[in-house]
Amino acid sequence: MARSEALGIIETFGIVYCIEAADAMCKAADVELIGFENTASGYISALVEGDVGACKTAVAAGVKRLEEIEGNLYSKVVIARPHEDLQKITKIYTLEDLLPYED
């Protein structure tokens, strides 16, 4: 995985809300969905990568969508120029590693 210019993350409670937020994030900006992380007790994070402006736009769109559907936003962040060592963490959440089937 090449180093991304930025990393955008939204954390919410419940997979349905997280999928809604991730959908809005991907539709709003030119970002790639890295994957999902079930952190604990129903808290789910969606991770996207792209350029800084796209990640900011994507996170804002995800937050807006959660507000529209009365989802529970727990946290959000955009990390510009993430350190390459973060890939050791984020690569384990890739959709390819999470999905038990092939397309």
Side-chain angles (χ1 to χ4, degrees):
M1 182 183 335
R3 179 180 169 164
S4 64
E5 190 176 322
L7 182 64
I9 306 169
I10 286 183
E11 185 174 27
T12 188
F13 187 80
I15 187 69
V16 173
Y17 292 127
C18 189
I19 290 172
E20 282 276 352
D23 181 59
M25 292 167 80
C26 291
K27 288 177 178 174
D30 185 20
V31 294
E32 181 179 344
L33 180 64
I34 297 173
F36 291 91
E37 165 61 5
N38 184 354
T39 54
S41 303
Y43 286 99
I44 314 285
S45 299
L47 295 82
V48 297
E49 66 182 0
D51 66 47
V52 177
C55 283
K56 286 181 178 182
T57 299
V59 168
V63 169
K64 181 180 179 200
R65 182 64 185 144
L66 287 173
E67 290 170 351
E68 291 170 352
I69 61 174
E70 298 181 8
N72 182 10
L73 176 67
Y74 184 69
S75 62
K76 62 182 173 63
V77 68
V78 174
I79 301 171
R81 298 180 322 277
H83 191 276
E84 61 189 33
D85 284 348
L86 286 181
Q87 287 183 356
K88 295 174 186 175
I89 298 169
T90 59
K91 75 179 181 178
I92 64 174
Y93 304 125
T94 61
L95 296 175
E96 293 80 19
D97 291 340
L98 293 176
L99 297 176
Y101 58 89
E102 294 184 29
D103 292 340

